[in-house]
C-alpha cells in the first residue's frame, strides 16, 4: 500500500515538473497582479459607494420610523428595517416609483392582483413602499416550492407570506388586511415574455377569494419588469414538460439590468355580488391588460428601458 502511494506521488511530481513550469506560473501571477488590482479595486470602491448611498438613503428618509419600530415586536422592527433597505435598493438601482397610491382605500381590506415578472422584484419594492408610507403590511401568496427552501420560514413568518388557499386568503382579508396575489404565478413568471400576455389559464381562485371576503380588487402592473429579469427563450417545450412534471421553476433566469421600474396602481374594482368568479376574472384581466397597454412598450426592449433611467419617454394615452 505504501509503495503504491509513493509511486502515485512520484508520478504526480513528474507530471507537474514536465508539464507545468512552476517558476513561470509564479512569474505570470506577479505580472498580472497589477492588472487584477487595477480592475478589482475600482469595483470594490463602486460597491462601497453603493452601500454608502444605501445607508444614507435609509437614514435620511426612514430614521424616525425605524427608531419608533425598535421598541415594538421584533417582527415589526425587522419588517421596517427590511422595507427601508428594499426601498433604498429600488430607488438606487431601478429608480423605482409607485404611481397611483391614492387609489388604495384607507383602513379597508384590499386584494391586489399583479402581473408576475420573471422575478417579482417589483412586488418587493411596492410592499416596502406601502409599509413605510402607510405602516401597513401587504400579505403575499407565494408558490409552495418556496416554503421548502432553507431560510424561507423566517421570511414567511415575519413578512406574512403564505402558500394560500381560498379559505386562508379570504380569512386574511376578513381580518382587515391587504393581500397580493398573482393568478399567473410561477407559470407566468417562467413562460411569460416581453409581450406581457397574462398567462392565467382558467385560474379563478383569486376571484373566489374577493367574492367570499366581499373586498375590492386593485390591479397592479410594473412597467419594464420583464426587462429587469428575463427567462431564456430556447427549449420552451422541454421546460414546459419539466414544469408540468415537477411544478418547479427550472427555466434559467438572467438579468438584473438597472432599467426604469414604475408600478402603476389601478382604480379599485368594487365588490359585486352579482358577478360569478369567471366574470370577475375577466373583468380584472381586462383592467390589468389596460394598464399594460397604456404604460408598457410592446414588445419590451431592454436597451430602451435602460435609456428611460436618464430620459423619460411620453406615456401612451
Amino acid at each position: 500500500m505504501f509503495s503504491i502511494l509513493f509511486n502515485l506521488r512520484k508520478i504526480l511530481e513528474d507530471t507537474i515538473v514536465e508539464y507545468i513550469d512552476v517558476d513561470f506560473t509564479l512569474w505570470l501571477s506577479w505580472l498580472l497582479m497589477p492588472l487584477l488590482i487595477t480592475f478589482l479595486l475600482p469595483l470594490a470602491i463602486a460597491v462601497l459607494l453603493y452601500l454608502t448611498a444605501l445607508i444614507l438613503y435609509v437614514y435620511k428618509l426612514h430614521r424616525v420610523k425605524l427608531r419608533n419600530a425598535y421598541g415594538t415586536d421584533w417582527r415589526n422592527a425587522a419588517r421596517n428595517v427590511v422595507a427601508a433597505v428594499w426601498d433604498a435598493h429600488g430607488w438606487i438601482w431601478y429608480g423605482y416609483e409607485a404611481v397611483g397610491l391614492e387609489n388604495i382605500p384607507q383602513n379597508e381590506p384590499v386584494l391586489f392582483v399583479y402581473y408576475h415578472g420573471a422575478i417579482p422584484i417589483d412586488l418587493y419594492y411596492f410592499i416596502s413602499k406601502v409599509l413605510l408610507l402607510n405602516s401597513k403590511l401587504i400579505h403575499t401568496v407565494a408558490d409552495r416550492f418556496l416554503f421548502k427552501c432553507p431560510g424561507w420560514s423566517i421570511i414567511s413568518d415575519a413578512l406574512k407570506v403564505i402558500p394560500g388557499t381560498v379559505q386562508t386568503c379570504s380569512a386574511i382579508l376578513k381580518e382587515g388586511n391587504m393581500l397580493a396575489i398573482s393568478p399567473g404565478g410561477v407559470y407566468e413568471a417562467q413562460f411569460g415574455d416581453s409581450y406581457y400576455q397574462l398567462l392565467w389559464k382558467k385560474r379563478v381562485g383569486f376571484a373566489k377569494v374577493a367574492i367570499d371576503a366581499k373586498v375590492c380588487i386593485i390591479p397592479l402592473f410594473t412597467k419594464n419588469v420583464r426587462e429587469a429579469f428575463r427567462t431564456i427563450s430556447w427549449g420552451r417545450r422541454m421546460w414546459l414538460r419539466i414544469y408540468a412534471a415537477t411544478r418547479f421553476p427550472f427555466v434559467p433566469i438572467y438579468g438584473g439590468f438597472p432599467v426604469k421600474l414604475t408600478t402603476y396602481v389601478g382604480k379599485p374594482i368594487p365588490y359585486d355580488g352579482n358577478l360569478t368568479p369567471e366574470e370577475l376574472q375577466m373583468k380584472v384581466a381586462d383592467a390589468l391588460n389596460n394598464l399594460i397597454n397604456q404604460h408598457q412598450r410592446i414588445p419590451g426592449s431592454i436597451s430602451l428601458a435602460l435609456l428611460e433611467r436618464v430620459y423619460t419617454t411620453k406615456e401612451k394615452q
Side-chain angles (χ1 to χ4, degrees), residues 37-53:
I37 293 175
T38 299
F39 287 99
L40 288 177
L41 283 182
L43 179 61
I45 296 298
V47 171
L48 287 174
L49 288 173
Y50 183 83
L51 290 175
T52 300

Side-chain angles (χ1 to χ4, degrees), residues 142-316:
D143 195 272
R144 294 181 184 277
F145 85 90
L146 284 172
F147 295 87
K148 300 177 183 178
C149 299
W152 185 256
S153 59
I154 192 170
I155 295 176
S156 60
D157 176 43
L159 300 180
K160 305 301 181 184
V161 184
I162 61 172
T165 63
V166 172
Q167 292 74 24
T168 56
C169 291
S170 179
I172 288 172
L173 291 167
K174 288 177 180 178
E175 292 171 358
N177 298 297
M178 296 189 293
L179 179 68
I181 296 177
S182 172
V186 172
Y187 183 84
E188 189 169 80
Q190 292 273 279
F191 303 107
D193 54 28
S194 58
Y195 286 87
Y196 289 87
Q197 294 176 330
L198 301 182
L199 304 179
W200 292 4
K201 298 185 176 180
K202 296 182 180 180
R203 296 179 179 176
V204 295
F206 76 94
K208 292 179 180 179
V209 168
I211 291 172
D212 183 66
K214 296 181 173 60
V215 298
C216 69
I217 295 178
I218 294 183
L220 290 180
F221 172 71
T222 300
K223 182 180 180 181
N224 296 327
V225 68
R226 278 279 165 190
E227 282 58 70
F229 289 94
R230 284 187 176 177
T231 53
I232 59 171
S233 58
W234 56 267
R236 183 179 176 88
R237 287 186 179 180
M238 176 187 69
W239 298 121
L240 279 168
R241 289 177 181 175
I242 294 174
Y243 177 76
T246 64
R247 295 296 171 181
F248 193 86
F250 281 110
V251 182
I253 296 172
Y254 66 96
F257 305 112
V259 300
K260 176 66 176 179
L261 293 182
T262 305
T263 295
Y264 293 93
V265 184
K267 298 289 185 180
I269 300 172
Y271 164 74
D272 185 351
N274 295 320
L275 292 177
T276 66
E278 291 75 18
E279 291 171 337
L280 182 56
Q281 185 218 42
M282 292 180 61
K283 189 172 184 178
V284 176
D286 288 342
L288 194 48
N289 276 321
N290 287 337
L291 284 178
I292 294 172
N293 293 331
Q294 182 179 357
H295 300 291
Q296 180 63 53
R297 180 185 296 105
I298 303 293
S301 166
I302 294 174
S303 57
L304 292 177
L306 286 168
L307 284 176
E308 289 179 10
R309 287 299 306 278
V310 293
Y311 175 75
T312 303
T313 57
K314 187 176 181 181
E315 296 280 352
K316 293 186 290 183

